[in-house]
Amino acid sequence: MSTSPDLPRRASAASARAGGRALALVGIVLVAVNLRTAVAALSPIFSQISVDVSLDSVGVGLLGTLPPLCFAVFGLLAPALRRHLRLETLLITALGAILIGHLTRGLAPNYAVLALASVLTFAGMGVANVVLPPVVKKYFPASIGPITSMYVTIMALFSLIPPLVAVPIADSLGWRVSVSMWAALAAVAIIPWLTLWMRDRRATSAATRAAAASGALTDDDVLPEISSAVVGRVWRSPLAWSMGLLFGTTSLNVYAAFAWLPELLTDLAGVSPAQAGILLSLYAGMGIPFSLAVPILASRMRSVAPLIALGFACFAAGYLGLLLAPAALPWIWVALIGAGPLTFPLVLVLVGLRSRTPEGTVALSGFTQGVGYALGALGPLLVGVLHDLSKGWTAPLVFLLVTLVVIAVAGRVVARPRMLEDDWHRTARDEAPQR
């Protein structure tokens, strides 16, 4: 019996795809490791940094505002980088920016360099934030929920490590080592994506390279083309706005906590700076079990309303505890506030679950994270301003409680099972000329 000459070639192609997926999985894990390391690396050691770099309340507030602000700006710009750039190329570029940013932050001689290096670091993170969902959909289209659960859990895990080790390392080796050492993780993360990029180049025929040079890459290779009509429809989509507001209000609370929770706990609960750093790690660590469970649960639930209600209740109980009895059970209040952002991994997985097309995924990812992080950038700044004006923490905590109303209202829309493209089709019908 003869064997078709196509069989070995097909087997080889299948093996290559499997190898590519395995390498991509490693790459996704390593990218996730890098997406939050810079966020909480500074706040526990501001006192050590201030010996060499002048810092005041406004400066601290601005540094706390940079992560969500950069995530917003560069998240919205990420789809514009799609022409002639593969997803792998975007991730390599983003990781390179993170690496250089970490090193420069550690070498910063003054506040301006520290701030600019932070912008570079968070710019890389902002691009990677938006690119990861399409990467997951490209390599693992049948496993969006589990893979998203995995990488969001890793993000949560590596957001708790910097505040946990920042003070001990700064005390023993200096704050510059404590800040810049995270560059090593970015360097390691580049390796699998550079390998995939080089493998793709070797496997690409001359004809395909010519097509790529002319901008005719396939949807699997680059972020898909997003037309102005699609952008306009996303901006008019109630689902997109609700996801952006839910993500944004969660981000506002998260980045306010990363910037100010150590100082708040020191003032209200009477803990030491080292204890405040541990409590900040507890805050970040509370996201790990929810990051693991929420995407999987959301992919199986018809309505995610119970998950949104749980996040709302945890936020509210934690803030009320800090308002009414801060010194009594600070560990409990911090744990509750740390459980509140379960809406963060929820929105990330809904980006893939609430869209049918690659264009929809990229458009919804960019819009949700762009609008969401822009709103989140207000958190550290507004909390700092309220703290300075009121000379206490009551006004900031009341403000954070009030923001939970947005979670309740936007959450009602997000909870309904619907697709982004449904809004597009309704908009198209409404815009169609009447005969």
Side-chain angles (χ1 to χ4, degrees):
M1 189 170 81
S2 62
T3 302
S4 168
D6 287 340
L7 290 179
R9 187 161 49 244
R10 290 174 183 172
S12 176
S15 176
R17 283 196 299 271
R21 283 195 294 270
L23 199 56
L25 182 61
V26 173
I28 289 168
V29 169
L30 292 174
V31 171
V33 163
N34 284 274
L35 288 188
R36 294 297 179 268
T37 50
V39 173
L42 297 183
S43 58
I45 55 172
F46 276 141
S47 58
Q48 289 99 319
I49 295 173
S50 63
V51 174
D52 299 315
V53 177
S54 178
L55 289 172
D56 55 19
S57 294
V58 175
V60 170
L62 288 174
L63 286 174
T65 298
L66 285 178
L69 183 61
C70 292
F71 292 169
V73 172
F74 291 94
L76 289 170
L77 289 177
L81 302 174
R82 67 191 178 276
R83 293 184 180 87
H84 313 298
L85 292 178
R86 298 176 183 273
L87 293 169
E88 295 80 4
T89 306
L90 283 172
L91 282 179
I92 292 168
T93 304
L95 289 165
I98 295 169
L99 188 156
I100 295 170
H102 278 309
L103 292 175
T104 308
R105 285 189 352 150
L107 297 172
N110 53 49
Y111 181 84
V113 174
L114 180 65
L116 289 173
S118 296
V119 169
L120 180 62
T121 306
F122 298 131
M125 293 179 179
V127 172
N129 279 336
V130 174
V131 172
L132 265 188
V135 165
V136 171
K137 197 155 191 170
K138 171 183 175 179
Y139 285 98
F140 306 98
S143 305
I144 292 174
I147 299 298
T148 302
S149 173
M150 177 199 68
Y151 87 70
V152 175
T153 301
I154 292 168
M155 286 168 58
L157 175 63
F158 278 84
S159 67
L160 74 87
I161 293 176
L164 190 63
V165 304
V167 174
I169 291 178
D171 288 343
S172 59
L173 300 175
W175 71 266
R176 296 186 184 278
V177 174
S178 181
V179 171
S180 62
M181 65 182 185
W182 306 106
L185 294 177
V188 173
I190 291 174
I191 295 172
W193 296 108
L194 189 60
T195 303
L196 283 169
W197 179 80
M198 293 173 66
R199 178 184 293 180
D200 284 349
R201 282 183 63 86
R202 287 195 298 266
T204 302
S205 65
T208 304
R209 286 197 296 270
S214 67
L217 293 171
T218 66
D219 286 345
D220 283 343
D221 292 323
V222 295
L223 291 173
E225 184 80 17
I226 308 298
S227 68
S228 58
V230 168
V231 172
R233 288 169 185 169
V234 171
W235 277 84
R236 293 193 296 274
S237 165
L239 173 62
W241 272 106
S242 297
M243 287 182 62
L245 290 173
L246 180 59
F247 191 86
T249 307
T250 302
S251 297
L252 184 152
N253 284 270
V254 167
Y255 290 103
F258 276 126
W260 292 108
L261 191 59
E263 185 173 341
L264 182 152
L265 291 169
T266 301
D267 293 345
L268 289 184
V271 302
S272 68
Q275 289 172 326
I278 293 172
L279 285 167
L280 186 60
S281 289
L282 171 64
Y283 169 82
M286 287 301 299
I288 294 176
F290 292 104
S291 298
L292 183 63
V294 165
I296 296 174
L297 291 173
S299 65
R300 298 175 180 177
M301 298 170 70
R302 176 169 175 79
S303 172
V304 296
L307 296 175
I308 296 170
L310 178 60
F312 178 94
C314 289
F315 267 134
Y319 288 143
L320 288 172
L322 287 177
L323 272 172
L324 302 176
L329 297 167
W331 301 85
I332 299 298
W333 311 142
V334 170
L336 286 168
I337 297 170
L342 65 87
T343 46
F344 179 84
L346 175 63
V347 173
L348 287 180
V349 74
L350 288 178
V351 166
L353 296 176
R354 292 289 193 263
S355 56
R356 292 193 177 96
T357 63
E359 293 83 0
T361 303
V362 174
L364 189 56
S365 179
F367 181 88
T368 298
Q369 297 194 50
V371 171
Y373 283 123
L375 181 58
L378 298 175
L381 192 58
L382 290 176
V383 167
V385 169
L386 289 171
H387 175 56
D388 281 350
L389 292 176
S390 65
K391 307 301 180 184
W393 293 104
T394 299
L397 287 170
V398 170
F399 162 71
L400 293 174
L401 271 170
V402 171
T403 65
L404 302 184
V405 174
V406 180
I407 290 180
V409 175
R412 291 188 63 184
V413 178
V414 172
R416 302 172 195 152
R418 63 193 299 184
M419 292 289 184
L420 174 71
E421 288 82 359
D422 296 340
D423 289 337
W424 294 5
H425 299 323
R426 277 192 290 270
T427 301
R429 286 197 301 270
D430 293 341
E431 292 175 351
Q434 301 296 321
R435 293 179 180 270

